């Protein structure tokens, strides 16, 4: 069959080629009745629509935004917090017609997604601050919004009051009489395992802020916590090293955890050792993900509004796409509030 083009449809309907083009790309320029006649003819002739690549070249836009994640895209599909964040972005972008492209911050061979994938702008979400991917996006002069990242001059950002929320969690444990308190945290680079405070590197923004908030409360009280630190998404590693942490003669009576998922790993270790929560061990998570209310007893945690974070990030990016020369560097800081459930109780005698 001969190839169907815009001119083929124009000849069938008896209009100009530009009128057919407007039916697909500028429907407000046509009457509803005329546009319907053109689309019906296109369907009858088996025309799929203008070539997306050609349309992008003509417009100078791709119709897609990127979301730069960690080295592993699997995180976006398995982590409940990341999933809620991405879902909120999708809802916010739905009326705009913009597509979403997930980008890993790592490259493979000659392909570097942050450098090579076509997009109109990007969200940088909870990435390794040492990754060159962020620099590639900035070099492309794309509109960017940073989420759960250290604020960057001239770019909008959305963060959670992690430090304030972490302070509330640490104060809660002190008020319950706990003095042997440990941290369970995560990071993109080693060292991992059971560590002293001096051995823990400074990296991801949320990790840093939560650690600072815990320290703000515990250091003045003279508490020097033991720390277990694991890669992201490795609950089994948390469970293994938490068993070592909780087996010592001076085991902690409470653990402050980077996330609810991390707290689940510590809870599994406590179960392995026959420790009761909260009678023998109190646990505090962070995020208030669906996990927090699923486990029993319910997990005391610090709540962040993940959906509002996604909506705010998407709104800032679409505003930047509409006015790329504005230089808007809005700073959004969302609250973090302590939610007390059954996983915390008085320190054992």
């Amino acid at each position: 069959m001969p190839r169907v083009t815009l001119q083929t449809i124009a000849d069938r309907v008896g209009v100009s080629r530009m009128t057919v083009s407007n039916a697909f790309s500028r429907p407000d320029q046509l009457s509803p009745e005329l546009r319907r006649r053109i689309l019906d003819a296109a369907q009858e002739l088996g025309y799929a629509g203008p070539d997306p690549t050609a349309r992008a070249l003509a417009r100078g836009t791709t119709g897609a935004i990127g979301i730069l994640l960690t080295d592993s895209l699997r995180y976006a599909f398995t982590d409940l917090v990341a999933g809620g964040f991405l879902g909120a972005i999708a809802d916010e972008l739905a009326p705009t017609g913009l597509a979403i492209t997930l980008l890993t911050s790592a490259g493979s061979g000659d392909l570097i997604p942050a450098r090579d994938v076509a997009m109109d702008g990007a969200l940088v979400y909870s990435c390794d601050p040492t990754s060159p991917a962020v620099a590639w996006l900035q070099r492309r002069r794309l509109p960017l919004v940073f989420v759960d990242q250290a604020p960057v001059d001239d770019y909008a950002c959305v963060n959670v009051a992690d430090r304030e929320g972490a302070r509330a969690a640490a104060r809660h444990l002190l008020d319950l009489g706990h003095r042997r308190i440990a941290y369970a945290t995560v990071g993109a680079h080693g060292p991992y395992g059971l560590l002293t405070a001096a051995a823990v590197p400074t990296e991801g923004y949320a990790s840093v802020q939560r650690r600072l908030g815990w320290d703000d409360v515990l250091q003045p009280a003279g508490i020097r916590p033991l720390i277990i630190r694991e890669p992201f998404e490795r609950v089994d590693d948390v469970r293994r090293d938490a068993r070592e942490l909780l087996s010592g003669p001076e085991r902690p009576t409470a653990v402050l955890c980077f996330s609810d998922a991390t707290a689940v790993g510590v809870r599994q270790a406590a179960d392995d050792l026959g420790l009761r929560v909260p009678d023998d061990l109190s646990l505090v998570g962070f995020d208030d993900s669906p996990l927090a209310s699923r486990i029993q007893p319910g997990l005391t945690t610090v709540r962040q509004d993940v959906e509002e974070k996604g909506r705010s990030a998407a709104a800032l990016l679409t505003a930047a796409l509409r006015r790329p020369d504005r230089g808007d560097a809005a700073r959004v800081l969302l609250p973090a509030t302590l939610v007390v459930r059954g996983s915390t109780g008085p320190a054992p005698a």
Side-chain angles (χ1 to χ4, degrees):
M1 295 180 62
R3 180 170 175 265
V4 179
T5 66
L6 292 178
Q7 189 61 54
T8 309
I9 302 168
D11 293 342
R12 171 67 68 89
V13 181
V15 296
S16 70
R17 182 180 181 281
M18 180 58 69
T19 299
V20 176
S21 176
N22 285 340
F24 289 95
S25 58
R26 302 176 66 190
D28 58 308
Q29 302 295 307
L30 280 68
S31 69
E33 191 276 333
L34 177 56
R35 182 168 186 259
R36 173 49 50 199
R37 283 173 54 206
I38 293 170
L39 295 181
D40 287 346
Q43 183 174 1
E44 181 182 341
L45 292 168
Y47 182 66
D51 178 65
T53 302
R55 182 186 292 183
L57 288 172
R59 291 181 174 178
T61 62
T62 67
I65 62 107
I67 303 179
L68 185 65
L69 300 163
T70 63
D71 286 351
S72 169
L73 292 184
R74 180 180 177 84
Y75 175 77
F77 300 99
T78 58
D79 182 82
L80 294 174
V81 175
F85 173 73
L86 294 173
I89 292 171
D91 286 345
E92 184 71 20
L93 292 180
T96 71
L98 287 167
I100 296 173
T101 301
L102 298 182
L103 308 169
T104 173
S105 56
S108 176
D110 293 332
L111 176 64
I112 302 174
R115 182 193 66 189
D116 301 329
V117 173
M119 67 191 94
D120 297 327
L123 300 172
V124 180
Y125 174 52
S126 195
C127 286
D128 176 3
T130 67
S131 169
V134 178
W136 278 116
L137 292 175
Q138 291 174 300
R139 202 172 305 170
R140 292 174 63 177
R141 300 185 180 278
L142 292 172
L144 302 177
V145 176
F146 288 80
V147 185
D148 286 347
Q149 304 280 143
V152 178
D153 290 343
D154 301 325
Y155 291 101
C157 72
V158 180
N159 282 312
V160 174
D162 293 289
R163 189 167 184 171
E164 181 180 339
R167 287 183 190 134
R171 279 194 298 268
H172 174 62
L173 292 180
L174 283 186
D175 291 345
L176 289 170
H178 293 276
R179 294 299 178 269
R180 297 201 305 275
I181 299 172
Y183 300 164
T185 189
V186 299
H189 306 288
Y192 299 122
L194 184 58
L195 308 173
T196 63
V200 177
T202 298
E203 50 173 4
Y205 184 74
S207 298
V208 170
Q209 293 300 304
R210 294 173 194 183
R211 167 82 183 276
L212 288 172
W214 297 333
D215 287 346
D216 287 344
V217 174
L218 299 189
Q219 284 186 356
I223 295 172
R224 299 293 180 266
L226 290 172
I227 299 170
I228 57 170
R229 187 172 180 276
E230 309 299 343
F232 288 99
E233 313 170 56
R234 300 289 288 273
V235 173
D236 288 344
D237 289 356
V238 175
R239 181 177 186 174
R240 179 197 63 213
D241 290 326
R243 280 199 299 266
E244 180 181 355
L245 173 73
L246 299 174
S247 297
E250 293 296 317
R251 65 171 177 81
T253 62
V255 182
L256 290 160
C257 300
F258 169 79
S259 66
D260 296 342
T262 307
V264 167
V266 178
R267 171 59 193 268
Q268 290 171 340
D271 291 343
D272 293 342
L273 298 170
L275 299 175
R276 298 165 299 167
V277 176
D279 298 338
D280 303 313
L281 180 72
S282 286
L283 288 177
V284 182
F286 208 108
D287 294 330
D288 198 23
S289 70
L291 282 173
S293 55
R294 287 178 189 169
I295 62 175
Q296 293 299 320
L299 182 64
T300 294
T301 188
V302 177
R303 183 178 188 273
Q304 61 162 310
D305 192 337
V306 174
E307 293 201 354
E308 180 58 30
K309 184 165 67 176
R311 287 191 294 267
S312 297
L316 288 175
L317 185 56
T318 53
L321 292 173
R322 287 193 299 269
R323 301 182 64 182
D325 299 327
R326 183 178 176 182
D328 190 357
R331 301 282 191 260
V332 174
L333 185 66
L334 301 173
T337 55
L338 182 68
V339 178
V340 178
R341 297 191 179 96
S343 69
T344 51

